Amino acid sequence: QVQLVESGGGLVQPGGSLRLSCVVSGFTFSSYAMSWYRQAPGKERELVAASAGGSINYADSVKGRFAISRDNAKNTVYLQMNSLKPEDTAVYYCYAERSLYGRTYRYWGQGTQVTVSS
């Protein structure tokens, strides 16, 4: 059974930091590209950061403030978020994807709420 379980969200003041974690099970973690997405109220879900095949990419809005990393031994992907702003408030989702023999496998976590407010 595939599971992606996020944790680490919460309420933080502007300028603060949070570290999100996503622990996965049910598939070969090291073979998957891992990403973090977020969705704010009334907005579309957007890519925040992605880690795939040694390549890392960030949305322009978080460059220099957020960092994605992964620990294949722990089947965990992290999102370190620094210098948080109110506009970072959203539900953050962990996402896994792999293409194999013409088929694409996609899995989402349940999301964790991040609220940046004074």
Side-chain angles (χ1 to χ4, degrees), residues 68-84:
I68 186 172
S69 61
R70 59 193 297 167
D71 186 336
N72 288 342
K74 295 183 178 180
N75 285 0
T76 303
V77 60
Y78 304 96
L79 184 67
Q80 178 67 44
M81 305 186 295
N82 300 324
S83 302
L84 283 161

Side-chain angles (χ1 to χ4, degrees), residues 13-51:
Q13 292 187 343
S17 298
L18 284 175
R19 188 175 82 154
L20 306 183
S21 300
C22 174
V23 181
V24 312
S25 59
F27 59 87
T28 306
F29 176 75
S30 59
S31 296
Y32 279 69
M34 298 299 302
S35 304
W36 287 95
Y37 283 74
R38 67 185 181 188
Q39 187 166 20
K43 295 187 176 182
E44 292 188 355
R45 193 171 295 189
E46 63 173 355
L47 176 66
V48 175
S51 172

Side-chain angles (χ1 to χ4, degrees), residues 53-73:
S55 176
I56 292 178
N57 292 286
Y58 297 98
D60 287 343
S61 59
V62 306
K63 281 181 181 176
R65 300 188 299 121
F66 289 14
I68 186 172
S69 61
R70 59 193 297 167
D71 186 336
N72 288 342

